[in-house]
Each structure stands twice: as C-alpha cells, then as structure tokens.
C-alpha cells in the first residue's frame, strides 16, 4: 500500500467488508482454533489507539485491524496496556504475544523483536498550530533557535527531529520530551512547543479531532512502514502476515483508513 492509495476513500464501508470478506477468506488462512493472543498497546496514539472519551474503552485503527486479524484466524484477543518505553522489551521477553503503537519497522528494532509485514506506510510531517506563520518548512524552523519541537523519546518522531530537522544532537535543548505522544500534541496546542513531527495518518486524526486547531506544513521528512511486533521466533508471525495480506487484497485496510482518517469524528 503506498501513500496515494493510503488516502484514497474506500469504495465500500468497513462493515460490509468485514461481514462479506472475512467469511470468504477463512478457508485460505491458518486456523488457530480459538487461541488467545495477548496483545498490547498504549492508548495514546490517535487515531491508531486511544481512549474513547464516551466509554473509556480503547479504540482505533489498530484495535479494529487486529480484532479482524484474530477473527480471520479463529483466535481471540486479550487486550493489555503498556507504556511505549517498555513495550518492545516486554514483547521480546514474551510478556505479550504482539504489540502495536504505530511502531516503525527498522533494522535496529529487528535485532530485538520480530515484525509482521507492514500494515501501513506513512510519512513524517510537521504539525503546527493553525495560525503559525513564522516558518513553512523544516529549514526555516531549524534556523530560528527560539522554536521548540515536542517529541516522545525513543520514537521515530524524535529521531527525525534530531537528524532531519536539527543538528544531530540527541540532547538538543530545542527538543522538549514528553512521556506520551498525546502530551506533546497538547503542548503544541497550548503553545508550549511550536511543532510536532507526526506521521500522516495520526495527523489526519488529530486535525479531525480538533477542527481549526492544527495544520501540516512543509514536505514529508521520510517514509516509514508500521508493523506489529512479536516475540522473536513467534509461531504467530506467518499467520498474522497471511491475515494482513488478505486484508490488503480485499480492501479491508482501505476501509479502516476511510473509517478512522476521514469519517470518524472524535
């Protein structure tokens, strides 16, 4: 799936796909015979995973996607929560079977854990306040030493800020660190920082949730692939990969894009 496809509206609704295509795919996918898959997320990365303010339950693109994967594989999901900074290690140690949090597939992480095939391809953009006029791309941002970036340590957003926008110093004081991604966006909203780097998918979610508050500026700063993380050597990996591929082929992933990045109003 490329980015142009990623932002194309689905031709049919998610509910129609799930009812028709899931059944059609069952015969060609592995059968896990009701196995319980312990899945972990953070609930802090809108619209991939976050708390529904009305119900207090975790919802989002990744919840829908992985619930559908389990359905196609005849498995059940036991949802658990973890902070971002401990998630990869916890999955590596087998505390959870699979983790998700908009996690970028890269070689360094592959040394620690296994990845599924990519379920989403996105790019990093500069999210700013709607009334921002001091800069319009990353070079003009970098030149103004008074401007601050909000970031969550250890994330792709943080490293792009360090190496693609600023000077390569991971201790640069212009990067303000926050425990969660949502906290960095809140700091942007209140004026405590001036820019947050964000993949295009989440940017759509935050702009939809806060009409007239944010905008994107500048060109994309790199492309990233998101994947589910699994315990090294997990027997679940090929089954999950097969389910993801079936969801790409039948349009389910496009329908989820439509639901969470275009139709849903938080």
């Amino acid at each position: 799936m490329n980015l142009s496809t990623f932002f194309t509206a689905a031709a049919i609704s998610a509910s129609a796909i799930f009812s028709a295509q899931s059944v059609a795919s069952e015969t060609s996918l592995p059968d896990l015979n009701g196995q319980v898959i312990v899945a972990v997320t953070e609930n802090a990365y809108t619209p991939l995973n976050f708390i529904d303010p009305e119900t207090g339950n975790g919802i989002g693109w990744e919840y829908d996607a992985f619930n559908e994967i389990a359905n196609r594989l005849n498995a059940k999901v036991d949802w658990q929560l973890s902070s971002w900074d401990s998630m990869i290690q916890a999955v590596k140690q087998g505390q959870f079977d699979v983790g998700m949090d908009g996690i970028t597939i890269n070689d360094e992480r592959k040394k620690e854990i296994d990845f599924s095939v990519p379920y989403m391809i996105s790019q990093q953009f500069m999210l700013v306040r709607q009334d921002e006029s001091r800069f319009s791309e990353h070079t003009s941002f970098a030149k103004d030493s008074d401007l601050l970036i909000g970031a969550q340590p250890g994330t792709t957003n943080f490293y792009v800020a360090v190496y693609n926008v600023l000077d390569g110093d991971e201790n640069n004081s212009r990067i303000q660190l926050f425990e969660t991604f949502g906290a960095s966006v809140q700091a942007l909203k209140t004026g405590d920082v001036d820019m947050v780097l964000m993949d295009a998918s989440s940017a759509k979610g935050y702009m939809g949730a806060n009409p007239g508050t944010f905008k994107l500026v500048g060109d994309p700063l790199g492309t990233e692939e998101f994947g589910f993380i699994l315990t090294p050597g997990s027997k679940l990996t090929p089954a999950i990969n097969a389910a993801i591929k079936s969801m790409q082929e039948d349009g389910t992933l496009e329908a989820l894009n439509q639901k969470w990045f275009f139709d849903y109003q938080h």
Side-chain angles (χ1 to χ4, degrees):
M1 177 178 63
N2 58 37
L3 199 61
S4 61
T5 303
F6 179 80
F7 289 119
T8 300
I12 52 181
S13 71
S15 60
I17 288 175
F18 294 163
S19 60
Q21 298 291 354
S22 294
V23 173
S25 65
E26 286 178 357
T27 57
S28 60
L29 292 174
D31 186 340
L32 298 184
N33 298 308
Q35 177 178 343
V36 176
I37 300 174
V38 183
V40 64
T41 188
E42 187 186 16
N43 281 353
Y45 202 8
T46 306
L48 299 185
N49 59 78
F50 62 104
I51 298 288
D52 185 340
E54 296 182 359
T55 67
N57 297 325
I59 59 173
W61 194 103
E62 289 175 332
Y63 275 98
D64 279 1
F66 202 79
N67 283 334
E68 177 62 12
I69 287 170
N71 179 56
R72 294 184 182 212
L73 298 175
N74 187 23
K76 299 177 181 179
V77 186
D78 175 11
W79 287 103
Q80 300 291 326
L81 296 177
S82 169
S83 63
W84 160 252
D85 58 3
S86 63
M87 186 182 298
I88 291 178
Q89 190 65 22
V91 172
K92 177 184 177 180
Q93 294 173 348
Q95 296 178 37
F96 310 106
D97 298 315
V98 60
M100 62 206 74
D101 200 20
I103 302 175
T104 301
I105 300 171
N106 62 38
D107 290 339
E108 182 177 355
R109 289 173 180 160
K110 285 181 180 179
K111 297 175 183 177
E112 300 293 320
I113 39 86
D114 286 352
F115 275 99
S116 70
V117 295
Y119 60 79
M120 185 180 295
I121 298 176
S122 192
Q123 294 175 303
Q124 294 288 310
F125 288 86
M126 298 170 66
L127 186 75
V128 301
R129 290 181 293 277
Q130 182 66 44
D131 61 357
E132 182 59 70
S133 60
R134 294 167 296 173
F135 60 93
S136 59
E137 35 70 42
H138 71 282
T139 54
S140 56
F141 179 94
K143 290 177 181 178
D144 189 339
S145 60
D146 293 329
L147 299 176
L148 302 177
I149 303 175
Q152 186 180 15
T155 62
T156 298
N157 318 71
F158 170 78
Y159 290 114
V160 172
V162 171
Y163 295 102
N164 294 61
V165 178
L166 299 179
D167 57 2
D169 179 4
E170 295 185 12
N171 296 311
N172 193 310
S173 61
R174 292 181 60 186
I175 302 178
Q176 302 295 298
L177 299 178
F178 298 88
E179 290 187 3
T180 68
F181 188 75
S184 68
V185 178
Q186 183 61 29
L188 174 64
K189 186 175 182 177
T190 58
D192 294 324
V193 299
D194 304 294
M195 182 266 283
V196 172
L197 282 166
M198 185 178 298
D199 64 86
S201 57
S202 287
K204 289 288 183 181
Y206 277 106
M207 289 190 293
N210 301 274
T213 302
F214 302 118
K215 65 181 178 180
L216 294 177
V217 298
D219 294 327
L221 295 170
T223 299
E224 58 184 351
E225 297 178 324
F226 293 164
F228 300 114
I229 59 172
L230 297 102
T231 304
S234 173
K235 296 180 179 179
L236 290 171
T237 304
I240 290 172
N241 286 345
I244 292 172
K245 290 176 181 178
S246 74
M247 292 164 68
Q248 290 172 331
E249 292 169 357
D250 67 26
T252 301
L253 297 187
E254 283 294 344
L256 288 178
N257 296 341
Q258 175 69 26
K259 174 182 178 180
W260 289 107
F261 304 135
F262 295 96
D263 294 344
Y264 187 77
Q265 297 297 316
H266 311 349

